Amino acid sequence: DFLNETYEYDFTNPPADKVGHIKVREDLNNRCTNFIKDCEENKDENEMLPDIKFYSKYVTNKSNWLKDIALKVDEKNKNLDDMLLKLKDGIVQRNNVINVLKNEIENVNVKLYEKLTELDEAKYNLYHIETSKAWRICKKLYKLRDNMLGNK
């Protein structure tokens, strides 16, 4: 689809990322933060909850690791988008060169056709001269002259 330019994505003006999830994410972050603070303040009442250090070590660090991976993936995607733009520019330039070459070939073909037409006209005229009565009479006269003069 990309090479045939049959895609609907606009590389020069890409659509904005969806933002509907941001409000939910912020609300969830606030609820979790408040829950953790509440648990720290009421430590004696919440013996069933995991230790904050444990949570931090095994949950928060891993989620941060996943966020880092997501950022790296985003960066790679931006790099790929840049590469695709460069590739598209290269294809456009290549197509421009191809169009110039096609025009030059067409011009050469037109000139060649003109020369072939001239050659065909010359052959046609030569044929009519050689088959004319005047040429046949002159040919016999030239032959007679050459025989008389001893020319071959």
Side-chain angles (χ1 to χ4, degrees), residues 35-40 42-60:
F35 176 76
I36 291 170
K37 285 180 183 177
D38 186 42
C39 288
E40 287 176 341
N42 302 315
K43 207 172 201 182
D44 297 333
E45 298 173 12
N46 300 315
E47 293 177 9
M48 297 295 290
L49 295 173
D51 183 21
I52 298 297
K53 291 178 184 173
F54 174 83
Y55 179 82
S56 207
K57 179 178 180 182
Y58 293 104
V59 177
T60 307

Side-chain angles (χ1 to χ4, degrees), residues 141-152:
L141 289 173
Y142 289 138
K143 200 173 189 181
L144 182 62
R145 179 197 67 188
D146 289 343
N147 285 338
M148 288 174 51
L149 294 174
N151 297 337
K152 290 190 176 185

Side-chain angles (χ1 to χ4, degrees), residues 25-79:
R25 182 188 71 191
E26 289 174 354
D27 182 47
L28 185 58
N29 282 340
N30 289 335
R31 288 173 63 192
C32 290
T33 302
N34 292 336
F35 176 76
I36 291 170
K37 285 180 183 177
D38 186 42
C39 288
E40 287 176 341
E41 291 171 2
N42 302 315
K43 207 172 201 182
D44 297 333
E45 298 173 12
N46 300 315
E47 293 177 9
M48 297 295 290
L49 295 173
D51 183 21
I52 298 297
K53 291 178 184 173
F54 174 83
Y55 179 82
S56 207
K57 179 178 180 182
Y58 293 104
V59 177
T60 307
N61 290 342
K62 290 192 182 202
S63 68
N64 287 339
W65 176 77
L66 287 173
K67 287 179 188 176
D68 289 342
I69 289 177
L71 289 174
K72 288 178 183 176
V73 167
D74 280 346
E75 186 177 325
K76 295 261 184 198
N77 284 338
K78 287 178 184 175
N79 290 340

